[in-house]
Amino acid sequence: MLYLSIIVLILLATVIMVGVGDRLNLPWPVMMTILGVGALLLPDRPHLEIDSEIILPIFLPPLLWAIGVKFSWGTLKRRWRSVLLYSVLLTTASALAVAGSAMWWVPGMTVAMALAIGAAIAPPDPVAVEAVAEPVGIPRRLIGTLQTEGSFNDAISLVLFHAAIHAIDHHEKVDPLKVLWDFSFGAVVAVVVGYIFGWLGGYVRQKAHGTVARSAVTLVIPFGVYLVAESVHASGVIAVVIAAVQFTSTKYLVALEAEDRLSNASFWQVIELLLTGLAFGLIGLQASEIIYQADSTRLLNLFCYGTLISLVAIAVRLLWFAAVWMLGNMKKTPVHEGAPGTFAEVIVMTWSGMRGLVTLILALSIPTVAGTEELRADSIVVVISVLFFTMVLPGLTLPFVVNVLGVKADHSEDNAVPELLELAQHAALEVLQEEARAASPETYRRVKDMCTAITRRDDIIENLPDEYKPKMQALKNSREEYTRLRDVAMTAAQHEVLSAQDRYDPNDVYRVIRKLDILSQADTIRSNNNFVLPAMPAGAVALERYRLLREHLGTSSIPLVENAPSSPLVTSVDSREKN
């Protein structure tokens, strides 16, 4: 019961910290780091022992899956240079530089333990990058490069980390050729394993009935592919990412319903958040014993070493991105898609290299070997210092850095959304034209109006002459007033149904609440800033369907609502119904 109670308390603390972060406008990865530090400094802490061999298989697969599903085969093909430059070469260079710094500064540091520290610190956390960098207005192409870097850098780190741990366990030297062979073999086998699991998972999800079953498949596959890949000495990281890419390939994604895509997105956002909070909390509690057992003077020295090593990791990253930028200037063309175009962008991409959960997990995964207990404790303290310095400080100051340097999103990147909307509209109208013969002219007109509205955007007001802008602004204000009244009305409707749930069957209450939620969300989507669909009052389609049913049956036991709001999409009730 102790472990279960601790898990529940950590999850509750995670939710509270995220809520506090939302109110203070702080990114949730920073709040999770603060949560871990809070667990680290807890005075009356419970004694926890978590097997280092199960930490990675529990926390890593779902987080990697959440990253992989955002990619496609076309994206990886376009960004292969980014994968090579950053996920492979930059991660390796960072790990070696950090390892050399640790050997130089930390007394008694061995080569194997220093390499383990370097492997743990080298990979930035793509989850933190997305949560922190994207909201501050960094150009989308830079965020894409940072996400690409984070998709496979953990694989390189794990290979280096396992080589270091093998050397620690067997008191051997690290063999560079063996490390290279392990990575090459593991990468090839991982791609095969990941592709097979991705194909099988996509097929199973396509054949599954119900949104719940299809969502459950996405939770099982990451753990399965990771365990199988690791059992054949392949890279579980690469296998999970490849499986996610294949799993969400176009063929399987198109076969899903809209509800599946929306529910899966929300489901994985919750999983990502709770797992990160749980990992930081549990590992913080476990590491707290090391902190409290250490001498205060020695602890202060280790934090200083961690700060210096953090500066080395940041410097390596800065020099690497600067070299890519200067090479692009010499060639008069970017080295790769999403390369930094100015030195200001170099600084922003450097400062966005925030370390996260993988760094902390690898630090706690260093095994305890006879004669290395004190060195292991020192290494963990150093890694925690680096994590705090490279997560909390950049996470809190990145918006300020972006504003000072004047790095802003390029409006030319916004062309992608209109292009995709035009593709969607063209496909919809083309199919509609083919199916027009089987529909009435009135129905065809309504659907065509909806398809035409796909590309209608609110920011058209910026391109209007000045004399029209006041009127458009008045219409916009009117819509905001409509949104406010709609929210009040829908909230009242939901509260009324919920207050009556004791008098009705729970299933009936659930169905009504679900319908109200869908109507409210659909209306919100129709009035967002991306595109506007025709206005459709709640129940308009159901009202028309019911009117036709009345005409067919000639009678009904359910009366129509008198003085119901009219809709341009619903034919008025004929005179027979009014009489």
Side-chain angles (χ1 to χ4, degrees), residues 27-34 125 127-129 131-132 276 280 391:
W28 67 263
V30 174
M31 302 305 294
M32 294 304 99
T33 306
I34 296 175
D125 187 356
V127 176
V129 168
V132 178
T276 303
F280 270 102
M391 167 62 86

Side-chain angles (χ1 to χ4, degrees), residues 485-501 509 512-517 519-520 538:
L485 293 176
R486 178 207 64 198
D487 293 342
V488 172
M490 294 302 295
T491 301
Q494 294 162 346
H495 287 176
E496 185 67 23
V497 174
L498 291 174
S499 63
Q501 61 183 340
V509 174
V512 173
I513 287 294
R514 176 176 171 79
K515 182 174 182 179
L516 293 174
D517 291 340
L519 289 172
S520 180

Side-chain angles (χ1 to χ4, degrees), residues 441-503:
E442 179 66 17
T443 303
Y444 171 78
R445 181 187 64 79
R446 296 175 191 170
V447 179
K448 184 178 180 180
D449 289 343
M450 184 193 72
C451 296
T452 304
I454 289 176
T455 55
R456 192 185 307 158
R457 296 175 60 88
D458 285 350
D459 55 9
I460 192 174
I461 186 174
E462 298 177 0
N463 301 321
L464 289 174
D466 292 339
E467 59 266 24
Y468 290 99
K469 289 185 178 180
K471 184 176 181 180
M472 293 300 297
Q473 186 62 42
L475 291 175
K476 188 175 182 180
N477 295 338
S478 177
R479 192 188 68 180
E480 293 176 353
E481 180 68 13
Y482 162 78
T483 302
R484 186 187 67 82
L485 293 176
R486 178 207 64 198
D487 293 342
V488 172
M490 294 302 295
T491 301
Q494 294 162 346
H495 287 176
E496 185 67 23
V497 174
L498 291 174
S499 63
Q501 61 183 340
D502 293 338
R503 306 193 302 271

Side-chain angles (χ1 to χ4, degrees), residues 154-394:
D154 293 339
I156 304 297
S157 294
L158 285 175
V159 170
L160 295 174
F161 184 79
H162 288 318
I165 297 307
H166 182 270
I168 294 173
D169 287 337
H170 297 83
H171 302 283
E172 299 176 355
K173 294 182 179 180
V174 178
D175 186 357
L177 293 178
K178 185 177 184 302
V179 173
L180 181 61
W181 165 254
D182 288 342
F183 173 74
S184 302
F185 172 80
V188 172
V189 176
V191 169
V192 176
V193 173
Y195 186 88
I196 293 174
F197 267 82
W199 183 86
L200 290 175
Y203 180 80
V204 171
R205 183 173 68 169
Q206 190 176 7
K207 298 299 181 181
H209 296 286
T211 302
V212 175
R214 288 190 286 266
S215 297
V217 173
T218 65
L219 186 60
V220 175
I221 294 296
F223 294 101
V225 66
Y226 185 90
L227 293 176
V228 170
E230 290 292 329
S231 66
V232 296
H233 305 290
S235 172
V237 173
I238 296 178
V240 172
V241 175
I242 294 298
V245 173
Q246 175 60 23
F247 188 81
T248 55
S249 63
T250 304
K251 181 175 71 172
Y252 298 122
L253 196 61
V254 171
L256 295 178
E257 297 178 358
E259 184 179 2
D260 293 321
R261 288 189 288 270
L262 293 174
S263 62
N264 281 338
S266 301
F267 173 75
W268 277 102
Q269 287 174 358
V270 173
I271 292 294
E272 195 174 46
L273 173 66
L274 293 181
L275 274 181
T276 303
L278 181 61
F280 270 102
L282 288 176
I283 295 174
L285 288 175
Q286 187 177 10
S288 63
E289 298 184 12
I290 298 175
I291 299 295
Y292 278 95
Q293 290 174 1
D295 178 73
S296 58
T297 303
R298 177 164 150 264
L299 197 61
L300 180 61
N301 291 333
L302 292 174
F303 278 122
C304 293
Y305 299 147
T307 302
L308 293 174
I309 291 174
S310 300
L311 296 176
V312 170
I314 293 173
V316 170
R317 188 173 180 84
L318 176 64
L319 293 174
W320 195 275
F321 280 107
V324 172
W325 166 62
M326 289 187 291
L327 182 60
N329 286 344
M330 293 172 58
K331 295 174 59 179
K332 304 299 182 182
T333 181
V335 175
H336 59 81
E337 178 184 300
T342 63
F343 187 70
E345 292 183 351
V346 169
I347 296 177
V348 169
M349 295 186 76
T350 301
W351 205 234
S352 299
M354 290 161 280
R355 274 58 180 181
L357 183 60
V358 172
T359 297
L360 192 57
I361 290 177
L362 291 182
L364 269 297
S365 298
I366 299 176
T368 302
V369 180
T372 64
E373 294 85 357
E374 183 174 343
L375 187 58
R376 175 181 181 270
D378 292 348
S379 302
I380 293 175
V381 174
V382 169
V383 172
I384 291 175
S385 304
V386 174
L387 174 64
F388 184 83
F389 190 86
T390 59
M391 167 62 86
V392 177
L393 185 60

